[in-house]
Amino acid sequence: MNRTEEQTLALAAVFQTAQLVHNIASSGRYDDDDLQVCLQGILNTHPDSVTDVFGPPAVLRTGLQTLINQLGTSAQNRKVEIARYVIALLHLQRKLDKNPAMLGQIAEGIERARAQTEHYALTHTNVLANLSGIYSDTISTLTPKIMVNGEQQYLSNPDNVSRIRALLLAGLRAAVLWRQLGGRRWQILFKRKRIVDTAQQLLAQ
């Protein structure tokens, strides 16, 4: 896998978390496999490659398709909320990068979550609550805060709140990986077609 493909796959993971946050907030629905792929990216902090974090491109099909929908030429497939979440995650990643104390706090929380997975499934309520707590204690204190819009009946559900916060933490993790691989926000503007074409190729694998 070349560098452009690696960057695109990491960016697709950001889009996948944003899509799942939107789905949960607006309908209360989500794909459990998609959720698990995003969350496992949080725990793998010392990968040799992007596929070590998430697995083969096929497991990020939702993210790749969302990326294509959001960055492609067809405006009818775009969702403002998803774009807003992705932009916010990429912005917060840069702020987090300048806060070593918070990075250390997050790393400690991730170690606790990793220990939990020896006894519980990654999507178990206890693990989700821990990951949600990490987000609340750290990322949510940064500005601008990510405001999640949706239906109150779903946003008032404590389990959905935990899933959303855990996903936002996963989105930050994917954004960190994207930047480590050389991803920059200007590329989304000026190399959009190349990114979309690469995503389509990965989707076809």
Side-chain angles (χ1 to χ4, degrees):
M1 185 172 285
N2 61 42
R3 182 50 61 96
T4 299
E5 289 173 331
E6 289 186 325
Q7 288 176 3
T8 303
L9 203 57
L11 188 59
V14 180
F15 276 92
Q16 183 153 312
T17 62
Q19 178 70 65
L20 290 178
V21 167
H22 174 71
N23 291 351
I24 294 170
S26 60
S27 69
R29 299 174 185 168
Y30 64 95
D31 183 278
D32 195 66
D33 289 338
D34 285 349
L35 174 64
Q36 180 143 334
V37 167
C38 292
L39 297 183
Q40 74 184 23
I42 299 174
L43 301 186
N44 195 337
T45 51
H46 298 92
D48 292 324
S49 68
V50 67
T51 52
D52 281 349
V53 179
F54 303 108
V59 302
L60 284 170
R61 291 187 66 84
T62 296
L64 288 166
Q65 188 59 62
T66 303
L67 183 155
I68 293 167
N69 290 345
Q70 293 293 126
L71 301 184
T73 56
S74 178
Q76 66 181 10
N77 292 326
R78 297 174 192 157
K79 289 186 172 63
V80 173
E81 292 302 328
I82 292 175
R84 190 168 61 80
Y85 298 148
V86 170
I87 291 168
L89 287 167
L90 296 182
H91 179 71
L92 286 174
Q93 182 277 321
R94 293 190 68 186
K95 297 195 78 168
L96 180 61
D97 196 42
K98 300 172 184 176
N99 193 330
M102 185 174 288
L103 284 168
Q105 189 178 351
I106 291 172
E108 290 175 5
I110 290 172
E111 283 303 316
R112 291 194 299 271
R114 188 180 287 116
Q116 275 185 308
T117 60
E118 295 177 7
H119 307 285
Y120 301 104
L122 185 53
T123 54
H124 189 276
T125 304
N126 291 357
V127 180
L128 286 170
N130 191 356
L131 295 174
S132 171
I134 296 171
Y135 179 84
S136 295
D137 294 341
T138 57
I139 307 302
S140 70
T141 66
L142 299 176
T143 55
K145 294 179 181 293
I146 299 179
M147 304 302 294
V148 176
N149 293 331
E151 298 295 329
Q152 191 56 38
Q153 61 178 315
Y154 307 121
L155 292 174
S156 61
N157 181 308
D159 289 338
N160 284 339
V161 171
S162 289
R163 291 185 189 101
I164 287 171
R165 288 174 178 164
L167 280 165
L168 292 174
L169 181 64
L172 259 295
R173 164 61 182 135
V176 167
L177 181 61
W178 175 70
R179 191 163 181 84
Q180 287 173 338
L181 290 166
R184 298 295 183 267
R185 286 186 294 178
W186 63 264
Q187 294 170 339
I188 298 175
L189 291 175
F190 299 109
K191 293 190 175 182
R192 179 176 298 203
K193 186 179 185 303
R194 184 180 182 185
I195 294 170
V196 169
D197 288 346
T198 302
Q200 289 172 332
Q201 292 165 12
L202 290 170
L203 201 56
Q205 290 183 10

